[in-house]
Amino acid sequence: MDQQSDAPIAPPIVELPIRTAERGFYDGFSRAVTIPSKIIVSLLIMWAIFFPVSANETLTAANSTIIASFAGWYVYLVAALIAVCFLVAVIPQSGRLRIGAADEQPEFGRFSWFAMLFGAGIGIGMLTYSTGEPMAHFSNNPEIIRGAVAGETAEAVRSAYLYTFLHWGFAAWGCYALVGLSIAYVSYRRGLPLTIRSALVPLFGRILSGAAGHLVDVVAVVATILGVAVTMGLGVEQFVAGLARLGLGDWLLDADGSSSAAAVIVALLVLVGASTISALSGVGRGIKWLSNLNMALSFMLLALFAIVGSGLFGLELLGVGIYDYLRTLIPASLTLYPGGETEVSQALVQWQLDWSVFYWAWWIAFAPFVGMFIARISRGRTVREYVFGVILVPSLMCFVWMTLVGGTAIDLELSGQAGGRILETGMSDQLYATLAVLLDPAMASIVSGLVVILLMTYLVTSADSAILIVNTINGAGETEGERRHHIIFWGAALAFVVGSMLILGGIDAIRITMIIGALPFSFVVALMAIAILKAIFFDLIRKRHGVPTTSEGCAALPSSE
């Protein structure tokens, strides 16, 4: 004790009391977080349903302003998050720190851990964008806009994958890893609640027990619902397109090829209903087994494309794409097109707003959900294992998907075998269109059915994970509460957000809403990056002076950080 009293730094904060109800409907929940979150989401749903014209006009105007005004903020913030993650991982002293007690072992094995990371993080997006994004950049990307290469030619393939990897690599997983590490580090080492506000305690201290902490958690809940809504919306569109490909009726699609209102409602009833049931079973049962099933089915589909599709072409794209990605990672991550009066300058700016900035906002909106989920399943791992595992392995999996699946689609178009049938269809249908060109009709139907099943399991995994995470935030960090009615509420709320936006405004309406919801949380994420650097740096100082750094070793009444 004398040694600690003479040390130049005090022990960390190991308590953050958050007031929760002791009885009634909100027993075990923070009313100051749960009720405002429910009100905001409910008002958004009612606004979209009862005042669709006003909602659409207002959201569109707000979206244009936010995207134009904060493009630079999103670009530089995401680059900074990647840098912070790798910094704490590569420094030997910080990389060896354990997320938990010094001798604590991980709760989940590596296969289940990676499966849950991939399934909850980007599984649905892979099925939609593994074909759609390379094909889109094959037709138009900054190199094509500048006139360096011609679109839809063999020369455009390399640049198409440069930008595809930029969007689906370290940027996405760096956002998730930073948020997850910020939460897990203070929760499992210091015994703080597993909730968003805890990550900011190294900066703001015990003040986060009150209104400031409530506000942070409310922002996180709303961002989570809106971020997951984009992923669910994409998944529902592709799910319905798959059912239509399987010949389940003309009622599934409208005349323009988009999902009909009836199809959206039926799909959401099935998917969100299954998600809610899975969420009620908890992380260790429903989500774990669904994630393992996702991974197994994913490998089966990848194996099909590797064997029957353009496997060698895809592997060549993978090698060249990773080389180009790593070579250009820093300049590409920091590029912000300045605009100008020329048509080329304006086209570059618009491309970046439509793609890169949209993705950065999407990853940030998705980060409270995925970050909290990653924190929930990563206890016991070292900081280095956590960062490299969360960023490198899922990024590589995304690259493999993009090159094997998307590369097959591009090769079919370049060879003339597809004859434009893949390029000319909507993004939600391009994977099925690729299968239809690649395989005979009977086999294409079988594999399309596999894709539908895989998509369904990914949708259920993402939705039930999000529901559990929202409940955890509202429950002041309680991970396995018994308040089942709140799980049911958030499942229904997610269904209504996705359904109302899809039916009234399509996937663009969900994207716009998400970008607006991501902005407040982006400032929280920036503070989290500073907070985790401070927490780790101060803990290294504490270790040098023999001051406890974990809740087990700290005094009963710790001093302020």
Side-chain angles (χ1 to χ4, degrees):
M1 293 299 295
D2 291 338
Q3 182 182 8
Q4 288 183 28
S5 63
D6 294 337
I9 187 170
I13 294 174
V14 294
E15 292 182 353
L16 186 68
I18 302 174
R19 185 177 179 182
T20 58
E22 298 180 357
R23 59 182 181 274
F25 187 79
Y26 288 98
D27 178 30
F29 276 61
S30 169
R31 288 193 180 98
V33 176
T34 309
I35 294 176
S37 301
K38 288 182 175 180
I39 290 173
I40 292 171
V41 173
S42 298
L43 288 175
L44 178 63
I45 294 169
M46 289 188 288
W47 187 33
I49 292 176
F50 296 112
F51 305 99
V53 176
S54 171
N56 184 59
E57 292 176 353
T58 304
L59 290 174
T60 302
N63 174 65
S64 301
T65 302
I66 289 173
I67 284 289
S69 302
F70 290 93
W73 164 249
Y74 280 124
V75 169
Y76 298 132
L77 173 61
V78 170
L81 299 181
I82 299 171
V84 169
C85 286
F86 281 112
L87 178 66
V88 298
V90 300
I91 296 176
Q93 295 90 335
S94 59
R96 287 193 296 265
L97 292 173
R98 192 167 293 275
I99 304 172
D103 57 350
E104 193 162 0
Q105 295 302 308
E107 179 182 0
F108 300 102
R110 283 206 174 114
F111 181 85
S112 291
W113 187 52
F114 289 142
M116 286 190 281
L117 288 177
F118 188 75
I122 297 188
I124 298 171
M126 280 291 90
L127 291 174
T128 301
Y129 284 98
S130 58
T131 310
E133 177 138 1
M135 294 297 287
H137 298 327
F138 177 58
S139 300
N140 187 46
N141 67 56
E143 302 307 311
I144 296 172
I145 293 172
R146 293 191 187 100
V149 296
E152 300 179 11
T153 63
E155 291 73 24
V157 176
R158 189 163 181 171
S159 59
Y161 274 93
L162 172 63
Y163 295 105
T164 298
F165 283 15
L166 174 67
H167 295 151
W168 289 87
F170 298 169
W173 292 99
C175 293
Y176 303 157
L178 187 283
V179 172
L181 179 62
S182 301
I183 298 166
Y185 189 87
V186 297
S187 294
Y188 297 139
R189 286 183 65 87
R190 304 182 179 183
L192 301 184
L194 188 71
T195 188
I196 301 295
R197 74 175 79 187
S198 295
L200 302 183
V201 169
L203 284 182
F204 301 109
R206 292 184 179 87
I207 192 175
L208 291 168
S209 287
H214 301 332
L215 178 61
V216 168
D217 283 347
V218 169
V219 167
V221 169
V222 175
T224 296
I225 292 297
L226 297 181
V228 174
V230 172
T231 303
M232 289 291 292
L234 289 169
V236 167
E237 290 269 289
Q238 193 173 26
F239 182 73
V240 172
L243 294 179
R245 282 273 178 177
L246 293 175
L248 297 186
D250 296 336
W251 63 276
L252 292 164
L253 301 176
D254 288 332
D256 61 357
S258 62
S259 302
S260 67
V264 169
I265 293 171
V266 171
L268 286 172
L269 284 174
V270 172
L271 297 170
V272 177
S275 303
T276 304
I277 293 172
S278 179
L280 291 170
S281 70
V283 174
R285 295 181 292 276
I287 296 176
K288 175 183 175 180
W289 291 111
L290 276 175
S291 296
N292 289 339
L293 176 61
N294 292 345
M295 189 65 80
L297 291 175
S298 296
F299 279 127
M300 288 175 59
L301 188 60
L302 278 178
L304 173 73
F305 276 95
I307 297 170
V308 181
S310 305
L312 293 178
F313 182 62
L315 290 175
E316 180 183 350
L317 288 176
L318 179 64
V320 173
I322 291 176
Y323 169 76
D324 286 344
Y325 174 64
L326 295 177
R327 176 177 58 86
T328 63
L329 177 61
I330 293 176
S333 298
L334 296 173
T335 295
L336 181 66
Y337 297 119
E341 296 182 358
T342 67
E343 185 176 342
V344 170
S345 297
Q346 293 173 1
L348 287 171
V349 170
Q350 191 60 49
W351 182 92
Q352 188 171 41
L353 295 179
D354 290 342
W355 286 98
S356 300
V357 177
F358 161 71
Y359 273 124
W360 298 171
W362 188 8
W363 304 151
I364 289 171
F366 218 39
F369 150 52
V370 182
M372 280 278 291
F373 184 74
I374 293 173
R376 169 66 182 83
I377 63 176
S378 299
R379 183 169 189 160
R381 303 191 183 275
T382 64
V383 170
R384 182 175 296 113
E385 181 187 16
Y386 170 91
V387 170
F388 288 155
V390 172
I391 294 181
L392 298 183
V393 175
S395 293
L396 180 60
M397 282 297 298
C398 290
F399 296 164
V400 170
W401 266 91
M402 294 291 185
T403 52
L404 287 180
V405 180
T408 295
I410 289 176
D411 193 36
L412 291 172
E413 288 290 358
L414 285 175
S415 67
Q417 186 175 347
R421 282 180 287 169
I422 303 173
L423 275 171
E424 293 169 3
T425 192
M427 185 176 288
S428 62
D429 194 39
Q430 283 184 325
L431 178 56
Y432 303 115
T434 302
L435 292 170
V437 174
L438 185 65
L439 305 171
D440 63 72
M443 184 58 68
S445 295
I446 293 173
V447 179
S448 294
L450 172 65
V451 172
V452 170
I453 294 172
L454 178 58
L455 183 63
M456 183 171 65
T457 59
Y458 272 134
L459 281 162
V460 171
T461 303
S462 293
D464 64 11
S465 301
I467 293 167
L468 278 177
I469 292 308
V470 166
N471 237 25
T472 299
I473 298 173
N474 289 331
E478 174 62 38
T479 58
E480 297 290 351
E482 296 297 328
R483 279 71 65 184
R484 306 306 198 192
H485 42 277
H486 295 288
I487 290 178
I488 295 171
F489 172 86
W490 288 112
L494 183 59
F496 273 110
V497 169
V498 175
S500 61
M501 294 295 177
L502 275 181
I503 293 171
L504 299 173
I507 194 65
D508 287 340
I510 301 180
R511 289 179 176 179
I512 291 171
T513 309
M514 177 275 299
I515 289 173
I516 296 170
L519 182 61
F521 191 71
S522 69
F523 297 104
V524 176
V525 173
L527 292 172
M528 292 172 110
I530 300 171
I532 190 60
L533 287 175
K534 181 185 177 186
I536 290 176
F537 178 69
F538 276 40
D539 274 359
L540 293 178
I541 295 175
R542 291 184 180 104
K543 289 185 70 175
R544 285 205 300 268
H545 292 279
V547 178
T549 61
T550 63
S551 56
E552 292 83 0
C554 285
L557 297 173
S559 301
S560 173
E561 183 146 3

